[in-house]
Amino acid sequence: MAQKFDVVVVGAGPGGYVAAIRCAQLGLSTAVIEREYLGGVCLNVGCIPSKALITAGHFFDKLQHSAPEMGIRLPKGEATIDMAQMQKWKTSVCDRMSGGVEQLLKGNSVAILRGEATFKTAHELNVKSSGGMETVTAKNFIIATGSRPIEIPGFAFDEKFVLSSTGALALSELPKKLVVIGGGYIGLELGSMYAHLGVEVTVVEAGPGVLQGAADPECVQVVARKLKKTGVETLLDAKAKGWKKSGSGVEVTVDVKGKEQTLKADKVIVTVGRKPNSDQANLKGIGLQIDERGFIKTNSQRRTSHSHIFAIGDIACQPMLAHKASHEGVLVAEVIAGKNRAFDAKTVPAVIFVDPEIAAAGMTEDEAKSAGYSELKVGKFPFAANGRAVSLMEAEGFVKIVADAKTDVVLGVHIVGPDASNMISEAALAIEMGARLQDLALTIHPHPTLGETMMEAAEAALGHAIHIIQKPLNQRKEGPSLRANA
Ligand code: FAD
Ligand code: NAI
């Protein structure tokens, strides 16, 4: 006999588990099916383990480079790394978060079915586990089965020499040299982390720059300079051709602007993007429409071509970000419960946990112009003029605010600098609420905090930041777009 539920969620990542909890809160009998780990990629092999190791890398880097100037001396002059302990600590962080998801699901009376789900028909799922096979039916299904790393020809993941992000997050010994193929989110986050831990890192990027299209170009410039300073070599317009074993490590052949180079390293990490898991679970077999990039086609309520099946998170659309997946999880649960909702967020903020961090909400200047805003006010305020940033010894970068010059409505905020990840939520709220520059400038921000840079960037866009010297706007010659202190 098949188990019956109001809602069955497939996949317990940040999309699926959040959807399941919200469904249960709304009084729907709910099950979640998970084949591997509660919390999905995010809590187990993605956001959380990477941020744990990035924190460790940052801490180690500060001990090496900032501590002596602050007057903190290490007994033998230098800090050392116990990689096995670092991994143990990282795993404890992940396990704690994943265990928390289990408690939340149970506490909300969500049935947890462990096993691999496959659609038998559009109304029935098989769940295969070590204990056998069971069948589950539901009035509605939510597909939240996520994505996996893309492989490139000649670099099949063996997780020994050629590592995916999962393997790269699990090294129990620190390598001396790493080659990272792909200078996007993961390549640069993990590349910077290993560089902070003292590893020699070379990034091989196919495009003409790192983080192309992923962030405001001026923000990327700051990070590119810092990568160089940290000792990360970046090969641009470079294509990895193949690799072979060499001694205990690898030799990677790379074509850089038409010239062949050989890079020796202990391991190679391939981070060239992720693809949705839409070729699994018989999604095509039950007739779901899938686009050319592998995303399940959905409408603004994340309803698929079968009206009782919804898709959320990495399997549904870009951006492949955990908070977007969770937002969609809540949305879909509420739609199923009969609420009149659609995906109408003005912005999905994004953070790249590099050094310094990049965070963004809303439009860049170019995007605002393409969207028809002919006159912009752009205000920029440097962390170098912020007391808290200087006292943290992390005064690189800036906050940039892009606003519509006609109305002063904030269109976008781009931050590169310390704790940009935590600062961006204020910008996301401002954009969601249709705030104007004056709202940010006239909100009292506590002192001394990094958040004051947001207020001063808004003041800069209005032409009167206090802690930088600005010419009055009417004495500048920038033309229709007013760039304050750019
Ligand atoms: P997933 O988290 O992928 O979860 C899908 C779940 O479904 C998995 O647990 C899987 O086992 C299960 N599943 C799949 N198929 C089946 C099946 N047939 N039956 C049963 N279960 C199934 N995003 C951020 O926002 N911030 C970050 O800092 C960040 N860092 C990242 C770092 C790395 C190294 C990586 C790889 C990703 C990172 N991401 C980050 C992206 C983020 O992890 C994803 O966007 C997010 O996990 C997507 O959530 P999801 O619920 O759609 O899918
Ligand atoms: P990505 O799309 O961010 O970057 C891939 C990079 O690889 C691009 O710069 C691309 O030009 C390059 N590339 C592609 N093919 C190549 C080749 N053959 N040789 C050399 N370079 C090549 O993909 P990534 O880094 O794998 O991350 C996947 C996704 O995961 C991100 O887009 C993001 O959605 C999510 N993520 C989010 C994080 C966050 O929010 N902080 C952190 C990590 C991942």
Side-chain angles (χ1 to χ4, degrees):
M1 269 286 280
Q3 290 199 65
K4 285 187 185 159
F5 296 91
D6 290 329
V7 184
V8 164
V9 183
V10 188
Y17 86 75
V18 169
I21 291 172
R22 188 71 189 116
C23 284
Q25 285 175 341
L26 289 162
L28 301 162
S29 68
T30 308
V32 64
I33 308 171
E34 174 53 53
R35 68 181 174 192
E36 208 168 356
Y37 23 48
L38 296 176
V41 167
C42 174
L43 298 194
N44 297 280
V45 292
C47 325
I48 298 300
S50 62
K51 267 78 257 182
L53 294 180
I54 287 166
T55 303
H58 190 65
F59 194 19
F60 185 71
D61 183 61
K62 283 204 107 178
L63 268 181
Q64 305 263 82
H65 298 109
S66 307
E69 196 178 330
M70 287 177 179
I72 298 167
R73 302 262 178 258
L74 299 165
K76 287 180 189 148
E78 123 182 30
T80 56
I81 293 163
D82 176 347
M83 201 59 194
Q85 172 57 28
M86 195 180 286
Q87 285 295 349
K88 208 169 138 192
W89 167 72
K90 177 213 80 180
T91 305
S92 75
V93 173
C94 297
D95 289 350
R96 182 169 163 175
M97 301 316 294
S98 176
V101 168
E102 181 164 10
Q103 279 176 14
L104 287 171
L105 290 169
K106 286 184 175 161
N108 281 285
S109 304
V110 174
I112 302 171
L113 309 179
R114 305 264 184 177
E116 170 108 27
T118 309
F119 278 93
K120 211 167 136 184
T121 68
H123 295 274
E124 241 179 357
L125 279 170
N126 280 335
V127 185
K128 193 176 161 197
S129 66
S130 52
M133 182 91 88
E134 63 176 314
T135 308
V136 183
T137 68
K139 291 181 198 150
N140 290 279
F141 294 89
I142 302 173
I143 303 170
T145 48
S147 63
R148 62 183 186 273
I150 293 175
E151 272 182 333
I152 51 172
F155 290 86
F157 297 127
D158 62 8
E159 303 299 1
K160 196 169 171 215
F161 294 105
V162 181
L163 311 179
S164 69
S165 54
T166 302
L169 288 167
L171 294 179
S172 55
E173 273 178 43
L174 203 59
K176 282 202 170 64
K177 280 189 186 183
L178 282 173
V179 168
V180 177
I181 302 176
Y185 268 79
I186 304 182
L188 290 196
E189 285 192 4
L190 299 189
S192 308
M193 177 270 286
Y194 277 116
H196 279 156
L197 294 176
V199 178
E200 269 181 56
V201 176
T202 305
V203 175
V204 176
E205 166 56 48
V210 293
L211 294 174
Q212 289 265 301
D216 174 274
E218 279 187 283
C219 292
V220 174
Q221 269 176 24
V222 173
V223 169
R225 275 200 301 273
K226 187 68 184 283
L227 282 172
K228 212 169 172 184
K229 211 168 140 192
T230 319
V232 175
E233 190 184 0
T234 315
L235 303 176
L236 302 178
D237 295 312
K239 285 181 192 63
K241 298 296 220 188
W243 72 280
K244 61 178 185 192
K245 269 203 225 166
S246 167
S248 59
V250 296
E251 213 175 272
V252 182
T253 316
V254 189
D255 177 316
V256 189
K257 295 176 183 151
K259 276 193 189 153
E260 205 160 282
Q261 277 190 30
T262 304
L263 306 171
K264 285 198 169 198
D266 298 302
K267 292 174 194 300
V268 51
I269 303 177
V270 182
T271 53
V272 295
R274 296 179 62 83
K275 63 175 174 188
N277 288 328
S278 51
D279 51 348
Q280 303 174 355
N282 196 30
L283 301 180
K284 285 185 187 152
I286 58 163
L288 287 179
Q289 287 179 17
I290 290 163
D291 75 14
E292 63 289 348
R293 293 165 305 165
F295 294 113
I296 299 176
K297 287 190 189 173
T298 60
N299 68 9
S300 63
Q301 292 190 318
R302 295 295 176 261
R303 208 184 283 272
T304 68
S305 44
H306 292 319
S307 62
H308 67 295
I309 304 182
F310 295 79
I312 57 173
D314 283 10
I315 194 129
C317 55
Q318 292 282 9
M320 288 184 170
L321 297 175
H323 42 283
K324 193 232 36 167
S326 299
H327 184 83
E328 290 171 330
V330 171
L331 161 77
V332 162
E334 295 187 352
V335 169
I336 292 172
K339 292 187 192 282
N340 182 17
R341 283 209 53 198
F343 189 94
D344 59 1
K346 284 191 192 159
T347 175
V348 179
V351 178
I352 313 173
F353 292 82
V354 281
D355 180 20
E357 291 178 354
I358 295 180
M363 293 182 248
T364 61
E365 290 159 80
D366 284 348
E367 286 164 352
K369 281 178 196 153
S370 305
Y373 294 96
S374 54
E375 291 184 33
L376 300 175
K377 281 183 187 167
V378 182
K380 223 170 125 188
F381 189 84
F383 282 104
N386 174 271
R388 187 70 190 114
V390 174
S391 72
L392 287 167
M393 291 185 78
E394 295 183 44
E396 289 160 304
F398 55 81
V399 175
K400 186 206 277 189
I401 302 189
V402 179
D404 176 6
K406 289 186 187 140
T407 60
D408 288 339
V409 167
V410 177
L411 302 173
V413 177
H414 306 274
I415 309 176
V416 58
D419 230 2
S421 53
N422 285 313
M423 287 177 60
I424 201 65
S425 295
E426 180 183 1
L429 181 66
I431 291 169
E432 283 300 336
M433 295 188 75
R436 292 164 198 266
L437 290 169
Q438 292 80 352
D439 294 312
L440 287 173
L442 293 172
T443 297
I444 299 177
H445 286 65
H447 178 75
T449 62
L450 297 171
E452 289 171 283
T453 51
M454 188 79 79
M455 174 180 74
E456 294 236 35
E459 287 173 346
L462 292 166
H464 53 75
I466 298 295
H467 294 93
I468 48 174
I469 294 162
Q470 287 192 284
K471 268 192 199 165
L473 283 178
N474 59 10
Q475 289 175 25
R476 292 189 216 149
K477 295 180 192 149
E478 288 94 338
S481 281
L482 302 172
R483 286 190 118 256
N485 199 50

